[in-house]
């Protein structure tokens, strides 16, 4: 597996070894030992999630506060998404900065988004199946959102030929300037 730290190095792009033959392909979508070797520290996942969305759906930017902060290992089994992680650790030199990655059924790339980041994605394909592992259980009382279009974050979302589809919850999310941050 190839591991590439992004411009915010705590966020790591992972590219698994894919074995193709006349039948199709095989790859280890998760291997605890190889994952921990790639990021350099132990991680325990407790929940797997799967969401399916149509083109233009934007989910995020979400995170959970401590003690239920979530690290997320995200991937796309069908379609393609533009994935975004925003550093919301007040003490970080990259506080307020974001990194992005195109994750797809074709490139089979995964993104490790540690605790301390807000996360979201927009779907580029007609349909996308988004699968991810989290390091803490869902805790709705601790869940927070930052509006995807926040001008302070200046995320360069891709232009689509459809309008973004955003839940009411996400459309009414806080601006970055008043969000709850991590230390
Ligand atoms: C996240 C979650 C949701 N739910 C229930 C709550 C709602 O009844 C329903 C849809 O939840 P929501 O609209 O928050 O789903 P997403 O917008 O995909 O949320 C996710 O969006 C971005 C991409 C993230 O990074 C987070 O993992 C997560 O917040 O699933 C659960 O039962 N368990 C869960 O872990």
């Amino acid at each position: 597996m190839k591991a590439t730290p992004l411009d915010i190095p705590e966020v790591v792009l992972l590219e698994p070894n894919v074995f193709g033959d006349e039948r199709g392909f095989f790859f280890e979508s998760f291997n605890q030992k190889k994952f921990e070797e790639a990021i350099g520290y132990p991680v325990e996942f407790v929940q797997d999630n799967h969401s399916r969305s149509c083109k233009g759906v934007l989910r995020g930017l979400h995170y959970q506060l401590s003690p239920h902060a979530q690290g997320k290992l995200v991937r796309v089994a069908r379609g393609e998404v533009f994935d975004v992680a925003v550093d919301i650790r007040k003490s970080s030199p990259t506080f307020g900065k974001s990194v992005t990655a195109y994750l797809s059924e074709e490139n089979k790339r995964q993104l490790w988004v540690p605790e301390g980041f807000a996360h979201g994605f927009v779907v580029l394909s007609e349909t996308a199946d988004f699968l991810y592992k989290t390091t803490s259980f869902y805790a709705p009382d601790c869940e927070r959102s930052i509006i995807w279009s926040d001008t302070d974050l200046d995320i360069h979302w891709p232009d689509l030929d459809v309008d973004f589809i955003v839940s009411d919850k996400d459309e009414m999310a806080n601006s970055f300037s008043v969000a709850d941050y991590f230390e």
Side-chain angles (χ1 to χ4, degrees), residues 47 49 51 59 62 72 119-121 132 138 143 169-170:
Q47 184 174 314
N49 295 331
S51 67
R59 296 176 184 255
H62 301 161
K72 298 167 188 170
H119 173 256
F121 65 86
Y132 55 112
Y138 179 52
E143 189 177 46
K169 177 188 81 170
D170 288 351

Side-chain angles (χ1 to χ4, degrees), residues 47-53 57-64 70 72 74 83-84 113 117-121 130 132 134 136-140 143-145 167 169-170:
Q47 184 174 314
D48 277 357
N49 295 331
H50 180 166
S51 67
R52 174 172 293 171
S53 310
V57 167
L58 190 154
R59 296 176 184 255
L61 300 160
H62 301 161
Y63 60 102
Q64 292 189 170
Q70 293 177 314
K72 298 167 188 170
V74 305
D83 202 75
V84 179
V113 180
F117 287 78
H119 173 256
F121 65 86
F130 193 83
Y132 55 112
T134 65
S136 291
F137 294 111
Y138 179 52
E143 189 177 46
R144 298 293 185 274
S145 300
S167 68
K169 177 188 81 170
D170 288 351

